[in-house]
Amino acid sequence: MLKVPDHQVAGHQGSHGQPGPLIDDSGRFYKPLQDDDRGAIEAAFYTSFSSNTRVPDHIRRFFPVFHGTQLIEASDGSGQRPHLVLEDVVSGRSHPSVMDVKIGSRTWYPEASEDYIQRCFEKDRKFSSLCLGFRISGLQLYGSEESELWKPERKLVQNLSADGVRVVLKKFVSSNSPIDPNLNPDFAFASSVYGGSSGILAQLLELKSWFEDQTMYHLNSCSVLMVYEKKKVLKGGSSDAEVKLIDFAHVTEGNGIIDHNFVGGLCSLIKFISEILTSPDECTTKVCLQNSDNKNEILTSSNECTTKVCL
């Protein structure tokens, strides 16, 4: 029985006649292949990567397991179309908090058309990609109550400043309500989610070490997906924090050259997360996101010093 996933925070979602992804109860994620060359590129990457013996097992675990392609009924009812069959990375989690971070200051690839490059460049410049080396594409965060779910509009988090990104990264690992705009994020779970030998930071550093040497692939416009189980942390258990790389529709061959665009963006994300762990008492910025109803949604404010940013 296939259904639309409720945990998708970024990427192509089914709307306006465009089919979106589906999931089943066995832990598989069905991603429709895009009609242009992006679909062929992503399928070719998964096929190559899954059989590439030069990829060590400790790195392979950061990529969704590939189960081939399959013709299934599209989510929009438009008929059968080919789908990538992948591991559903949040399968088995009851209340996953998820953040999608697109890596790289450049999301286009050199072989793309001039028109496509220009559109991507304008988007990278408009959002935080060009200045930070990454941008938050979307997220969902559960609160202490099961009914509390914060899932801000994607366009609101994509163009955050550096201060806004710090706020969201802190809010992602906070114990207090993500919905109440008057609460300061306490980032009480930073050490259990970001820190430790198996936390998100350690996993990102492991990826960085490999990408500083590998020259097989350039992962243009790829995302880092960060997932953890907040409900378990609230009860004193393990966060089950996990990092996965997703979205490979713009991968190109490395041809013996290090993917500096990806490495640079990954290093920038690592720096932001490291600062939360090592400098927790630094000034926090107050950030306002304007919702579609034109009401400002305040993310946070610090008790010690406050800078207000309204987007």
Side-chain angles (χ1 to χ4, degrees):
M1 186 68 177
L2 299 178
K3 57 186 177 182
V4 175
D6 57 10
H7 58 260
Q8 187 180 4
V9 297
H12 296 282
Q13 297 175 325
S15 62
H16 307 297
Q18 176 178 307
L22 296 163
I23 58 173
D24 64 19
D25 294 328
S26 69
R28 296 193 176 189
F29 183 91
Y30 299 80
K31 180 178 181 179
L33 284 174
Q34 299 178 70
D35 292 328
D36 53 22
D37 60 347
R38 289 175 293 179
I41 289 172
E42 188 159 29
F45 168 76
Y46 272 113
T47 301
S48 167
F49 185 86
S50 63
S51 61
N52 192 336
T53 56
R54 291 182 292 170
V55 179
D57 289 339
H58 75 278
I59 294 299
R60 196 177 297 280
R61 69 187 179 96
F62 292 114
F63 293 75
V65 177
F66 177 54
H67 298 287
T69 59
Q70 185 176 338
L71 275 175
I72 62 172
E73 183 71 24
S75 64
D76 62 352
S78 59
Q80 289 203 335
R81 61 181 297 155
H83 287 65
L84 292 168
V85 185
L86 306 168
E87 168 195 8
D88 180 3
V89 299
V90 301
S91 177
R93 297 175 182 263
S94 58
H95 296 85
S97 290
V98 183
M99 184 183 298
D100 182 306
V101 182
K102 189 170 289 294
I103 301 297
S105 59
R106 169 181 53 77
T107 59
W108 47 270
Y109 55 103
E111 292 81 2
S113 66
E114 283 296 325
D115 177 66
Y116 183 82
I117 290 174
Q118 186 60 36
R119 284 188 283 117
C120 287
F121 178 74
E122 291 300 323
K123 186 182 292 186
D124 294 342
R125 184 169 61 177
K126 177 183 177 181
F127 299 144
S128 67
S129 296
L130 203 59
C131 61
L132 300 184
F134 67 89
R135 66 173 179 259
I136 298 174
S137 295
L139 74 151
Q140 72 172 32
L141 177 59
Y142 280 93
S144 56
E145 302 295 330
E146 291 186 6
S147 59
E148 286 187 317
L149 175 64
W150 186 57
K151 197 171 185 177
E153 293 185 27
R154 289 157 57 179
K155 65 180 180 181
L156 299 180
V157 296
Q158 288 175 341
N159 62 353
L160 290 172
S161 64
D163 288 328
V165 167
R166 290 188 187 96
V167 168
V168 173
L169 287 171
K170 289 180 178 181
K171 195 176 182 77
F172 188 62
V173 291
S174 289
S175 67
N176 46 15
S177 171
I179 298 174
D180 189 338
N182 297 309
L183 290 178
N184 301 329
D186 58 22
F187 46 102
F189 303 143
S191 60
S192 59
V193 177
Y194 292 148
S197 60
S198 59
I200 284 175
L201 180 59
Q203 295 178 55
L204 292 176
L205 288 170
E206 190 173 352
L207 278 170
K208 170 180 170 289
S209 178
W210 187 66
F211 275 97
E212 286 176 332
D213 290 326
Q214 80 86 20
T215 59
M216 296 177 286
Y217 306 107
H218 283 190
L219 304 189
N220 308 293
S221 199
C222 169
S223 285
V224 163
L225 198 69
M226 301 187 295
V227 185
Y228 81 98
E229 193 71 58
K230 187 171 184 179
K231 187 176 180 181
K232 291 183 65 175
V233 182
L234 285 165
K235 293 181 177 180
S238 170
S239 68
D240 292 337
E242 187 174 22
V243 168
K244 291 285 187 181
L245 299 185
I246 59 171
D247 297 336
F248 306 107
H250 304 281
V251 171
T252 54
E253 292 186 7
N255 296 319
I257 300 172
I258 292 172
D259 187 356
H260 294 287
N261 180 59
F262 185 86
V263 172
L266 193 62
C267 286
S268 181
L269 177 61
I270 286 170
K271 179 176 182 291
F272 272 76
I273 292 176
S274 297
E275 288 174 349
I276 292 174
L277 289 168
T278 59
S279 307
D281 297 325
E282 288 187 355
C283 172
T284 301
T285 300
K286 176 183 284 185
V287 177
C288 302
L289 297 182
Q290 194 170 65
N291 293 318
S292 55
D293 58 3
N294 293 324
K295 293 180 180 178
N296 284 334
E297 177 186 352
I298 301 176
L299 289 187
T300 186
S301 61
S302 170
N303 292 326
E304 298 180 1
C305 61
T306 298
T307 305
K308 188 175 182 180
V309 180
C310 289
L311 304 172

